[in-house]
Amino acid sequence: MVNPAFWKGKTVFLTGHTGFKGSWLSIWLSSMGAEVTGFALEPPTSPSLFKLAGVENLISSNIGDIRDSDELERAMIKTKPDIVIHMAAQPLVKESYIKPVETYSTNVMGTVNLFESIRKCSSVKVVINVTTDKVYENKEWVWGYREQDSLGGYDPYSSSKAGSELVTTSYKYSFFNPAEYANHGVSIASVRAGNVIGGGDWAKDRLVPDCIHSLLKNEVITVRNPHAIRPWQHVLEPLNGYLLLTEKLYEEGVNYSGAWNFASRDEDSKPVEWIVQKIIEKWGGEKSQYKIDDNKHPHEAGCLKLDCSKAKTILGWQQKWQLEMAIEMIVEWFKEAQIERDMLGVCLRQITLYMNE
């Protein structure tokens, strides 16, 4: 379980803090007393969790581009962080087909810029690079990929994130070699999460936001790839894993370096169509319908699962909310947002509920 006492007073440099996952992590960290400095572009959507929950009032927020190495370096050196968590990315498969150069420059060179800044910042003790389950060479296996399986990537997004993994490994061995930990004191890990869902996600071309958008407008939901299977999990599940891992890296160093998977139980790897049906059911709209989009779309994997045995056995990490519970939390969040509740309060309530499980 995450230890709030560990985080009290820790200085955290978080890239991508204006995004969906970054906003949730900012809220969680600040609630435990961490001193968080964010570095990211403006929120990628409007509305956004970042704005609705007033995240800019909880942390020190820097609006900047990780492709700008000088700006990133200045912000990090000024912060003097104990911990760096790298979430900034171009995170969408479909967008990567439209903007491949931007995707590679952000996801690959952005990671290079991050590590170059870390090399010049002697305060850093832990680095977590957040990538994706899509870094693996997808062979459409029905079993989960393990951390030692081959990296790959059919689309620009997936391959750019695999590139980010390679950059991380290279910098770890070239400049922060675990064998020389006593000299540099920096421990590095990458984390690979399955399909993350939760309240406050309005990203374009993502299943849950697309469903919620249609439900709010009483429109028919359009579903692509209805039979595609993904390891769905509530956003708090992988964030819990990142926090647990960070604590171990800080306290026990390189023993916890390397790559880590965080994904749902095998029984929660469900087809897209199942998720749509369950969201409609939980939403309770009698007129809610969906249709299958038979148009041609860019390639996406048909089946993708992760094996999380390493995290479960070594970290003691476990998924707390089954998928149906996760969907209930998402529907609750968006219904509260619909009537303009205190969304920071809603997030904190869900975090507290999760931590007390």
Side-chain angles (χ1 to χ4, degrees):
M1 186 62 206
V2 171
N3 178 14
F6 167 87
W7 291 96
K8 186 174 178 60
K10 289 292 189 298
T11 304
V12 181
F13 190 88
L14 173 62
T15 71
H17 70 290
T18 59
F20 161 58
K21 285 175 71 177
S23 293
W24 272 102
L25 185 56
S26 296
I27 293 167
W28 197 344
L29 287 170
S30 65
S31 74
M32 295 188 292
E35 299 173 5
V36 182
T37 295
F39 186 92
L41 298 172
E42 292 283 355
T45 62
S46 182
S48 70
L49 175 57
F50 182 77
K51 292 295 186 182
L52 282 180
V55 176
E56 68 267 36
N57 300 320
L58 304 175
I59 69 172
S60 175
S61 176
N62 294 277
I63 301 302
D65 192 329
I66 58 168
R67 292 173 295 180
D68 187 332
S69 57
D70 292 336
E71 187 178 16
L72 178 60
E73 182 183 315
R74 283 193 296 269
M76 188 176 295
I77 290 174
K78 181 180 178 181
T79 302
K80 298 179 181 177
D82 306 307
I83 296 160
V84 175
I85 302 177
H86 179 43
M87 285 187 167
Q90 192 299 96
L92 302 174
V93 171
K94 193 170 181 180
E95 186 75 5
S96 76
Y97 283 105
I98 300 169
K99 298 178 180 178
V101 174
E102 179 180 318
T103 299
Y104 284 109
S105 61
T106 300
N107 295 352
V108 179
M109 287 308 300
T111 305
V112 172
N113 292 341
L114 181 90
F115 277 107
E116 282 297 294
S117 297
I118 291 167
R119 290 181 65 197
K120 299 172 184 177
C121 191
S122 60
S123 64
V124 177
K125 294 180 175 62
V126 174
V127 183
I128 299 280
N129 181 22
V130 179
T131 61
T132 174
D133 58 348
K134 296 176 179 64
V135 297
Y136 294 104
E137 180 185 359
N138 194 303
K139 300 178 180 179
E140 301 291 346
W141 286 335
V142 295
W143 54 84
Y145 293 91
R146 294 182 176 180
E147 288 85 351
Q148 69 267 29
D149 285 331
S150 299
L151 301 179
Y154 182 106
D155 56 88
Y157 167 71
S158 301
S159 64
S160 70
K161 279 299 199 174
S164 179
E165 288 275 358
L166 293 173
V167 168
T168 301
T169 300
S170 177
Y171 269 80
K172 181 178 74 173
Y173 287 113
S174 298
F175 305 107
F176 303 104
N177 196 299
E180 300 170 3
Y181 178 74
N183 296 326
H184 57 71
V186 180
S187 50
I188 298 171
S190 63
V191 290
R192 305 161 181 175
N195 281 47
V196 175
I197 56 179
D201 186 6
W202 278 278
K204 184 181 178 183
D205 295 321
R206 276 188 182 153
L207 179 61
V208 172
D210 286 351
C211 288
I212 297 298
H213 179 81
S214 296
L215 288 167
L216 289 171
K217 291 190 169 186
N218 293 314
E219 295 177 348
V220 175
I221 299 169
T222 301
V223 181
R224 305 186 311 274
N225 304 316
H227 305 299
I229 296 173
R230 297 289 184 270
W232 311 97
Q233 60 182 327
H234 192 275
V235 62
L236 296 180
E237 304 286 4
L239 295 186
N240 180 40
Y242 306 166
L243 295 174
L244 284 171
L245 177 59
T246 300
E247 292 175 19
K248 291 293 188 181
L249 287 165
Y250 192 96
E251 294 173 341
E252 301 186 39
V254 295
N255 293 333
Y256 290 83
S257 290
W260 297 80
N261 287 342
F262 296 99
S264 61
R265 301 179 183 91
D266 193 58
E267 57 265 33
D268 281 343
S269 291
K270 298 288 189 181
V272 164
E273 190 170 11
W274 187 95
I275 299 293
V276 174
Q277 292 170 344
K278 191 60 65 172
I279 290 174
I280 291 173
E281 174 191 321
K282 299 295 184 184
W283 191 268
E286 294 181 1
K287 296 182 180 179
S288 299
Q289 301 178 39
Y290 68 94
K291 64 179 181 181
I292 306 302
D293 184 355
D294 293 325
N295 294 323
K296 186 176 181 180
H297 295 283
H299 172 273
E300 292 190 45
C303 183
L304 180 56
K305 299 180 183 180
L306 297 184
D307 184 323
C308 301
S309 300
K310 179 181 175 182
K312 292 176 180 178
T313 303
I314 299 175
L315 279 182
W317 174 83
Q318 291 288 342
Q319 178 186 347
K320 292 189 175 188
W321 286 349
Q322 293 183 351
L323 183 53
E324 192 153 339
M325 175 67 169
I327 293 173
E328 287 179 9
M329 291 295 102
I330 293 166
V331 169
E332 174 194 275
W333 197 99
F334 280 105
K335 282 185 174 289
E336 294 287 290
Q338 190 179 18
I339 54 178
E340 300 183 350
R341 298 284 192 190
D342 168 17
M343 298 318 297
L344 174 59
V346 173
C347 291
L348 290 171
R349 186 172 72 242
Q350 291 194 353
I351 289 170
T352 299
L353 178 64
Y354 178 86
M355 291 184 72
N356 290 336
E357 284 285 327

